[in-house]
Amino acid sequence: MRGFPTSTTGAPSIAVSSIGVACAAALAAALLTLPASAAPARTAQPGAWGGTRSLPLVPLSRERARGTAPEQGLFRAGGERFSLVGVVWDDPDAELHGRVQVRTRSARTGRWSGWQDVGTHNADHGPDPGTAERDTRRARGATAPLWVGDSDGVDIRVRAAGAGGTGRGDTGARGGRTAVPDPPRPPLPAGLHLELVDPGEAPPPEGGPADAPGTGPHSEAARASSVANTDIAAFGATRIPELDKAATERELARLQGPSRGKPYIGPRPAIVTRLGWGADESLREPGFVYTKKLKAVFVHHTSSGDDYTCAEAPSVIRSIQRYHVESMGWRDIGYNFLVDKCGTLYEGRAGGAAKAVLGAHTAGFNSSSMGIAVIGSYGATKPPGAVVTALARLVAWKSGLYGADPRGTTYLTSGGGNLYPKGKKVRLNVISGHRDGFATDCPGASLYAELGTARSGAARYQGR
């Protein structure tokens, strides 16, 4: 697939993990005619694989609501190749009250899909309020991303809540009907843009064409991500190998020293590394940021839809990485790990799979936690058994590195959010759903219902 350009961003920020201190020390060493008033499209800088095209939405009616059209959209019958879409806006604190629908044209068949809803509430995913990652000028509000497959045409419409009303009737003193204006509706956020994300092709892990400056598997950033995993895998590995329980316990002793008691840790599962799924390391900010502990795990769904094959999962992850970084302005993909519907595990945010990497997944509770996202939407769809097993195995291993009991509870201090005020100590399950820390539907009712099974399974893998 022909890609769009990419960009590099940010300034270094390096902290030391409680695991792999030596490693951390080593790391430190124009097809649309727009009105004249419309904002220009944002286009990223040249790069090797994939990219993002950001196009301003235009009014679909002449009506204005507080200076903003209550219906905005865009139609493009061709020109771009993309596989994931989303909508972003200028103010990350603003909410989109309304409905976003999109249909796309398949690049393979030329047929248009039906209209699909795009999740409008996505502020619950992201960096903690008041942090450098959250307060950067690049941060933007956004819908959830939607995976649409290989496409070359798009039709999108965004409609404010209550838009299109003509007033309701009310009975007057003489029994007649009088026009009563509709109640005020929240305006759409300013600066709405459609994001068309092309995941591109994964770079070859070895050899292949020369990398563009700063990109590819042989770049400095790619080497740094690989070095961060050398405490548990060979440099340049595309997969962290599976270990049995005895080998995992020996590894734990090597990483942390002999344990005074029985080590409760599950056998390490196989994990596809960032190199394995084809992360473009030039997108993320250099350096890694760590949290001091790992006390809790938040389970998410990506809310990107279920219409993907497991072979496409790396492409979905590359698209989400681009959406989080290029479209939403984060330093890297927000999740620490991802799971596809076949149960394959993937390393998420860079910094080392065995380390307590600070993510951007549960606004207000990223510190001392990690986020695992199941790729798909699990409001009404029950997750496959392989997904629940993969969650249990990953948590049994990773929480075991930090002495956490998957069946237990812990306390985290809120960094601020819509459920708990900043500074409040909150008692949470070690394995929690996203909705436990933020008022949200995530990880979907059906996936949330399986967390009890994941807790008992993880404890069993740990030998508890």
Side-chain angles (χ1 to χ4, degrees), residues 63 70-71 97-99 159-167 182-186:
E63 184 184 358
E71 293 182 74
H97 296 281
R99 190 177 189 183
R159 186 182 179 94
T166 57
D182 285 331
R185 57 177 176 260

Side-chain angles (χ1 to χ4, degrees), residues 82-87 100 102-104 116 118 143-149 151 153-154 156 194-197 304 319 323:
F82 59 92
S83 296
L84 181 141
V85 300
V87 173
V100 178
V102 67
R103 65 189 186 110
T104 55
Q116 300 182 74
V118 180
T143 67
L146 178 67
W147 176 259
V148 295
S151 303
V154 64
I156 189 165
L194 169 66
E195 305 292 292
L196 302 176
V197 183
S304 53
S319 297
Y323 191 66

